[in-house]
């Protein structure tokens, strides 16, 4: 069930830039949307994940304590966790939109998507990622390759619903016990005309 009073992940994705990949209106045709965030402080780190279907139905939320050495590593760990969670719950052929508030991470994901279209899997431009992410970056690339379509968008941390979960995983530990939501099925492409997404369609009405 969609949560009232806040914007759906689909709407946030539609309004956000997707580094290194053109963002035409039809990119809102995703099956699922994943918001991830990682936090770091001297008191401890945390990973936050929010997953929704395209209609706003919540699929999963996670708030997990972590021991990341810095904030950059925490961001990659959070996305790895989110992609693993989504991959375990979705059928083949799934198209996803990823929301993160880390510029380089969003750019690296989209660069990895483009690299996956070439026989040698080499990126068109070098990846710029922090040291210490180890197998998490390899895991992210493997998950990206396993979905039918992936695009990453960058949003401000104030608009990232995973931010609160990552910054206080103990307070929000109850979300980890929420019942798993069943997949809603893939996008069939049959009933969605070539129009701007809902968050853009009426933006200039009355101008």
């Amino acid at each position: 069930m969609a949560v009232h009073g806040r914007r759906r992940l689909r709407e946030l994705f539609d309004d956000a830039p997707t580094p290194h990949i053109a963002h035409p209106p039809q990119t809102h045709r995703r099956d699922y949307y994943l918001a991830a965030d990682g936090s770091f402080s001297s008191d401890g780190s945390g990973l936050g994940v929010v997953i929704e279907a395209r209609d706003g139905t919540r699929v999963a939320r996670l708030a997990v304590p972590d021991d990341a050495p810095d904030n950059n590593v925490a961001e990659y760990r959070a996305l790895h966790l989110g992609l693993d969670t989504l991959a375990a719950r979705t059928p083949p052929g799934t198209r996803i939109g990823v929301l993160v508030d880390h510029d380089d991470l969003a750019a690296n994901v989209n660069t990895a998507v483009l690299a996956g279209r070439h026989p040698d899997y080499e990126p068109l431009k070098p990846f710029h990622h922090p040291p210490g992410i180890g197998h998490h970056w390899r895991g992210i690339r493997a998950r990206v390759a396993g979905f039918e379509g992936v695009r990453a968008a960058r949003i401000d941390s104030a608009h990232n619903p995973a931010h609160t979960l990552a910054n206080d995983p103990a307070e929000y530990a109850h979300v980890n016990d929420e019942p798993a939501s069943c997949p809603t099925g893939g996008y069939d492409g049959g009933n969605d005309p070539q129009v701007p997404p809902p968050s853009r369609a009426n933006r200039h009405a009355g101008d």
Side-chain angles (χ1 to χ4, degrees):
M1 179 176 184
V3 177
H4 297 286
R6 68 165 177 79
R7 300 183 70 194
R8 295 179 299 173
L9 296 186
R10 171 178 169 172
E11 295 168 338
L12 292 172
F13 180 85
D14 288 343
D15 284 341
T18 54
H20 300 326
I21 293 184
H23 195 194
Q26 62 267 31
T27 58
H28 74 291
R29 294 182 175 183
R30 307 279 113 177
D31 303 306
Y32 297 91
Y33 297 85
L34 160 65
D37 193 26
S39 71
F40 170 79
S41 72
S42 58
D43 298 329
S45 304
L47 311 178
V49 172
V50 177
I51 301 172
E52 292 179 358
R54 64 178 178 271
D55 63 357
T57 300
R58 180 180 294 152
V59 174
R61 291 191 300 173
L62 299 173
V64 181
D66 192 50
D67 60 353
D70 58 52
N71 189 69
N72 287 324
V73 173
E75 298 281 0
Y76 279 78
R77 289 185 179 182
L79 180 55
H80 190 185
L81 172 64
L83 291 173
D84 281 351
T85 301
L86 185 55
R89 299 188 182 192
T90 54
T94 298
R95 297 171 60 82
I96 70 169
V98 171
L99 291 158
V100 293
D101 53 36
H102 189 286
D103 290 342
D104 286 346
L105 178 53
N108 281 335
V109 169
N110 288 333
T111 300
V113 171
L114 295 175
R117 299 174 183 172
H118 296 274
D120 57 5
Y121 291 96
E122 288 296 321
L124 299 177
K125 59 187 303 182
F127 294 113
H128 295 284
H129 53 68
I133 59 174
H135 73 279
H136 294 290
W137 175 236
R138 293 191 296 274
I140 288 170
R141 290 197 69 181
R143 287 303 187 194
V144 165
F147 290 104
E148 176 68 21
V150 178
R151 288 199 180 192
R154 184 200 53 77
I155 56 174
D156 188 272
S157 61
H159 300 146
N160 188 345
H163 181 77
T164 301
L165 304 181
N167 276 270
D168 199 345
E171 175 68 20
Y172 292 96
H174 63 277
V175 305
N176 300 310
D177 298 324
E178 293 175 348
S181 174
C182 296
T184 60
Y187 173 73
D188 60 17
N191 299 314
D192 222 351
Q194 293 280 350
V195 296
S199 60
R200 291 177 178 169
N202 299 318
R203 180 172 296 174
H204 300 294
D207 287 356

